[in-house]
Amino acid sequence: VEMINLYILLAKKSGEKKSALCEKLKQPYRNFLSRRRTSKSSNEKHLHQIQQNIKIAETACERAIISKYTSKIRKYGESDICINSMIEELTHVKSNFSRHIIKKNAKEDIFIDTTTSLGLAKKLKLNGETLAIIEPEAGIFLSNFFKDKSLLPLLLKCFGSEPYLYDTSTPERLIDLERPSMNILLMLQNNILFDLFSKKDLVEIGFLPRTLPILGANFDDLIFKNFNFNHQQKNQDWMALYEEKILTILEANYTQDTDREIFDITCDANACSILLDFEKENQADLMAGHFRHMAPFIRKLHGIAARIA
């Protein structure tokens, strides 16, 4: 079983509009979240007023209880029974009113820009344990990434959706993730990509072998003659089609519920046979002593192929 998550490193030269492309890729997601937030905000003002009234009523009750017991203490003197009764009544009021206070939901997000392990773990927890990163100029992201190696274990777990526990000595910083999941697209210049693959620790810990490096050509140089597009699709605006597909997927599947149903896409016998043959070919090459410098990547190639398919 392979998750459909992909970590892509796309190398493109400066001036090839990486930022503009990233903005286009993110736009359907932003439109989707914008619609959701607008529909919720229409009731927020009314709800906020009700919440304020509940808090005012709670404060008035608390003051009345304190005033009542203050009068008794002045008249009869302070006693443990009197103090305990007052605490009991205040606790009861707090409990009754707190049931009617609606906690504000976390702001919904699909993309994340924080690069600390705690920040990423927190945001995953608040967003159904699923997020994505798209960075047009990944140099800043990677520089923070190299400074804080604690980010690596979480990214490794998110690739395969494995359980992850962020544990510190402070109780409120305990974050238990059951099936964290991420997709990452980092666009970077060629020299940064080559420098990245020279860092042996990232290869040994398993991060780079999980990535798919792509040396991007100019879009005008791409050849489509081998693709069988049907006649109806030829003249369509491809960005409009992309947005339509993304919105359809989000409408059907987007949730912040960590107990959501997760679907398995099955693999038919022929496809499975092709993948297993590919894995065996790769293993045979390694056993024969070929491509030793690429061994960590080649061992994972069949999994990457399955994810792309």
Side-chain angles (χ1 to χ4, degrees):
V1 177
E2 293 286 342
M3 296 297 296
I4 59 171
N5 299 330
L6 279 174
Y7 290 180
I8 297 174
L9 302 173
L10 176 59
K12 290 183 71 64
K13 297 173 186 173
S14 61
E16 291 192 344
K17 300 182 179 178
K18 295 188 285 292
S19 296
L21 177 57
C22 282
E23 286 304 305
K24 281 186 174 292
L25 291 175
K26 288 182 177 182
Q27 198 56 51
Y29 300 91
R30 287 180 175 152
N31 291 344
F32 171 77
L33 290 180
S34 176
R35 286 212 308 264
R36 284 174 65 93
R37 289 169 185 162
T38 301
S39 64
K40 289 179 181 178
S41 65
S42 59
N43 292 322
E44 276 186 4
K45 188 174 181 181
H46 181 60
L47 181 62
H48 178 72
Q49 186 59 55
I50 293 172
Q51 301 289 289
Q52 287 295 104
N53 291 341
I54 291 172
K55 289 178 182 176
I56 290 168
E58 179 186 4
T59 302
C61 285
E62 288 174 342
R63 285 177 177 167
I65 291 167
I66 291 169
S67 176
K68 179 179 74 174
Y69 280 97
T70 301
S71 298
K72 283 187 178 181
I73 289 168
R74 285 175 181 159
K75 189 172 182 179
Y76 302 109
E78 185 177 337
S79 70
D80 289 342
I81 294 174
C82 186
I83 296 296
N84 289 338
S85 296
M86 181 177 69
I87 292 171
E88 189 177 325
E89 281 195 42
L90 287 172
T91 303
H92 182 67
V93 165
K94 177 69 75 176
S95 175
N96 276 342
F97 278 98
S98 64
R99 290 186 293 114
H100 302 287
I101 298 294
I102 300 172
K103 292 182 180 178
K104 193 172 182 181
N105 288 331
K107 182 182 176 183
E108 295 173 321
D109 273 311
I110 291 173
F111 295 101
I112 189 169
D113 52 13
T114 183
T115 51
T116 66
S117 53
L118 177 60
L120 178 53
K122 276 183 174 178
K123 211 159 189 182
L124 279 164
K125 192 68 178 176
L126 293 172
N127 287 277
E129 298 190 357
T130 300
L131 287 168
I133 293 176
I134 291 184
E135 287 290 335
E137 297 293 346
I140 297 172
F141 174 86
L142 292 170
S143 64
N144 291 333
F145 177 81
F146 295 134
K147 288 175 190 172
D148 182 9
K149 289 294 196 299
S150 66
L151 193 61
L152 277 168
L154 179 51
L155 293 181
L156 296 181
K157 297 291 186 184
C158 286
F159 184 77
S161 198
E162 302 167 54
Y164 176 82
L165 184 69
Y166 187 96
D167 194 5
T168 69
S169 56
T170 311
E172 61 268 19
R173 292 179 67 171
L174 175 66
I175 301 172
D176 189 3
L177 302 174
E178 295 177 19
R179 295 191 67 171
S181 177
M182 286 199 73
N183 279 279
I184 299 176
L185 171 61
L186 300 180
M187 294 189 186
L188 58 173
Q189 295 191 31
N190 297 19
N191 60 316
I192 299 176
L193 177 66
F194 299 144
D195 182 55
L196 191 63
F197 279 84
S198 69
K199 299 183 185 299
K200 291 184 179 179
D201 56 337
L202 293 183
V203 175
E204 290 166 359
I205 201 170
F207 176 72
L208 286 180
R210 285 170 168 80
T211 63
L212 178 63
I214 299 174
L215 299 176
N218 292 322
F219 294 120
D220 296 337
D221 297 336
L222 296 175
I223 299 170
F224 292 109
K225 64 182 180 182
N226 294 325
F227 293 88
N228 295 317
F229 298 130
N230 68 44
H231 178 71
Q232 290 180 337
Q233 291 178 326
K234 272 186 180 177
N235 299 320
Q236 281 192 15
D237 179 341
W238 285 102
M239 283 310 301
L241 183 61
Y242 165 73
E243 176 155 356
E244 179 190 329
K245 295 293 183 185
I246 294 298
L247 289 175
T248 301
I249 292 169
L250 288 170
E251 293 288 357
N253 297 286
Y254 180 77
T255 176
Q256 290 176 295
D257 183 8
T258 53
D259 294 329
R260 68 195 181 282
E261 182 181 359
I262 296 176
F263 299 97
D264 288 328
I265 301 172
T266 55
C267 183
D268 69 28
N270 289 337
C272 189
S273 177
I274 291 170
L275 281 171
L276 291 174
D277 287 344
F278 183 42
E279 182 182 13
K280 287 173 185 174
E281 287 173 18
N282 294 338
Q283 288 173 344
D285 278 334
L286 294 177
M287 291 291 289
H290 303 150
F291 312 115
R292 284 182 176 173
H293 63 296
M294 296 173 62
F297 301 87
I298 290 173
R299 290 192 192 103
K300 293 186 178 296
L301 270 181
H302 62 287
I304 295 288
R307 289 163 185 256
I308 294 171

